Amino acid sequence: MNMATSNRQIGGVTIVDISGRIELGEESAAMRDTICDLLNKGRRQILLNLGAVEYIDSAGLGALIGALASVRRQGGEVKLLNLPDKVVDIMQITRLYTVFDIVNGEAAGVKSFSQSKAASKP
């Protein structure tokens, strides 16, 4: 199954629902294009819902890291939501769980953006 994405807004947070496989080729390129499009529209608070992701390879991990770097360069944040067990295992093996903010539950994920914004204010 190829990767599919859909975007929706809750307040100032953009939720990107991703399903299928995030792997080398069109899928990882589509992920980069999605993030670039959101940044061009001024969206800087992005919650990637990976609940329906079946598989992710090293290129897919690279696309996630690239998305995080691109958004942070523009003063935003990317968080990961609803990681399937296989993706959790990969995040632990690669230790990327120390790089990404990972949340369970959409409401908690959306709320976490306002909390991290409040925490960063002096």
Side-chain angles (χ1 to χ4, degrees):
M1 177 174 162
N2 291 336
M3 186 185 82
T5 62
S6 62
N7 302 340
R8 52 198 168 90
Q9 287 293 128
I10 296 182
V13 177
T14 302
I15 300 171
V16 180
D17 296 306
I18 303 172
S19 61
R21 301 168 63 92
I22 308 172
E23 56 191 353
L24 180 65
E26 293 176 22
E27 292 80 12
S28 57
M31 163 101 51
R32 282 189 295 275
D33 292 345
T34 298
I35 296 300
C36 287
D37 186 49
L38 292 172
L39 289 172
N40 289 336
K41 292 178 179 175
R43 303 292 178 192
R44 305 274 185 285
Q45 295 180 325
I46 301 171
L47 189 58
L48 298 177
N49 181 4
L50 304 180
V53 170
E54 300 168 358
Y55 173 81
I56 186 167
D57 69 3
S58 59
L61 290 175
L64 289 177
I65 294 165
L68 179 66
S70 295
V71 174
R72 282 186 175 170
R73 271 194 302 272
Q74 295 197 24
E77 191 61 47
V78 171
K79 298 183 183 194
L80 305 181
L81 171 68
N82 297 332
L83 273 60
D85 290 340
K86 288 180 182 179
V87 177
V88 169
D89 291 344
I90 291 170
M91 290 295 189
Q92 290 177 335
I93 290 167
T94 59
R95 304 195 53 81
L96 286 174
Y97 67 90
T98 63
V99 175
F100 287 96
D101 191 356
I102 300 171
V103 294
N104 291 316
E106 189 172 291
V110 170
K111 186 177 180 183
S112 72
F113 281 97
S114 61
Q115 291 171 340
S116 54
K117 208 175 199 181
S120 65
K121 289 183 181 177

